[in-house]
Structure formats: structure tokens, C-alpha cells
Amino acid sequence: MNNDEKILSLIEKMYIEFSGRFEKIDERFEKIDERFEKIDEKFGKIDERFEKIDDKFDELNNKLDQKANKNDIVRLENELKPKIEALFDGYKQNSDKLDSIITRLNIIEEKVENHDIHIAVLNKRKPGSR
């Protein structure tokens, strides 16, 4: 037996083995198809029902998207505008309060500097301080 005959023999064996496996796979798929047919008989056409449900979800989704765009914008404007104004008012009050505190702090700093100068002058006048 030459190489060509060996190769052909090997290919024939592989073909027979694969054919057997494919037959087993076909049998399993046939069993699965039978199960689905039984389910379809019992519950109606599942694929059709899922397609109808899918169509309804798509329709609802489109309606929600259209309404959400218009209604949500109006709702957000109505809800957020007063809140933003309140936040701005709070910011303004905090800013005014900080300005007041800074002004008072500057006055206190000036007084402390003046007191430091007065203390230094008093310490120089004190007898025996030099």
C-alpha cells in the first residue's frame, strides 16, 4: 500500500467517523425540535408571542423617549430653577458674611498692631528696661 492509498484510507475512516457523529448531532437536534414543538402546542407559538412582546416594548420605548424629552425638560426646569436660585442666594449670603468677617478681622489686626506699638513704647519708658 503506497502513501496515496494510506491517505485515502485514513480520509475514508475520518469521513465515516464524522458522519456517525453528525448523525448523532442530528438526532439530538431532532429531539430538541420535538420538545419545542410540544411546548408550542401547549403554550402557543412562542416565537410569535416573543415577537409581539418585543414589538410592544419597542413601541413603548419610542413613546417614552418622545415624551421624556419634552416632559422631562419642562419638569427639570420647574424643579431645578428654584433650587438653583436658593443655592445662589445661599452663596451670596455666605460671600457677604465672609466679607463682613474679613473686614472685622482687618480692624482687629490693626488694633493688635497698635497695641504692640504701645506696649513697645511703654517698655522703652520703663526705668531700668534698658
Side-chain angles (χ1 to χ4, degrees):
M1 198 184 278
N2 64 20
N3 281 343
D4 291 338
E5 290 174 351
K6 288 180 183 178
I7 292 173
L8 285 175
S9 173
L10 180 62
I11 291 174
E12 184 179 353
K13 287 179 185 177
M14 288 174 59
Y15 175 78
I16 293 169
E17 186 177 323
F18 283 133
S19 294
R21 288 188 180 181
F22 285 133
E23 286 176 13
K24 289 179 183 176
I25 290 172
D26 285 340
E27 288 174 11
R28 292 179 80 184
F29 275 119
E30 286 175 14
K31 289 178 183 176
I32 291 171
D33 285 341
E34 288 174 9
R35 287 183 186 167
F36 276 116
E37 286 174 10
K38 288 179 184 177
I39 291 172
D40 280 346
E41 289 172 8
K42 186 173 182 181
F43 297 108
K45 299 290 181 185
I46 291 175
D47 289 336
E48 291 175 13
R49 292 175 81 180
F50 277 125
E51 286 177 20
K52 287 179 184 177
I53 291 171
D54 219 14
D55 291 341
K56 285 183 181 180
F57 275 125
D58 288 341
E59 184 180 323
L60 286 172
N61 197 16
N62 289 336
K63 284 182 181 179
L64 285 175
D65 285 345
Q66 291 172 355
K67 287 183 179 179
N69 290 338
K70 295 174 188 173
N71 293 337
D72 283 346
I73 290 171
V74 171
R75 181 179 52 82
L76 285 174
E77 285 177 356
N78 290 337
E79 287 180 9
L80 291 180
K81 189 174 180 180
K83 291 178 182 177
I84 289 172
E85 288 174 356
L87 286 173
F88 181 72
D89 288 344
Y91 169 78
K92 182 79 171 123
Q93 288 176 354
N94 283 341
S95 178
D96 292 344
K97 193 69 163 175
L98 283 174
D99 289 343
S100 170
I101 291 171
I102 289 172
T103 303
R104 291 178 70 195
L105 185 62
N106 287 336
I107 293 169
I108 292 170
E109 284 177 346
E110 286 179 29
K111 285 184 179 182
V112 168
E113 286 176 14
N114 286 337
H115 288 146
D116 285 345
I117 293 171
H118 287 6
I119 291 172
V121 169
L122 290 174
N123 282 339
K124 285 184 181 179
R125 287 187 185 171
K126 197 178 191 187
S129 61
R130 282 190 167 190

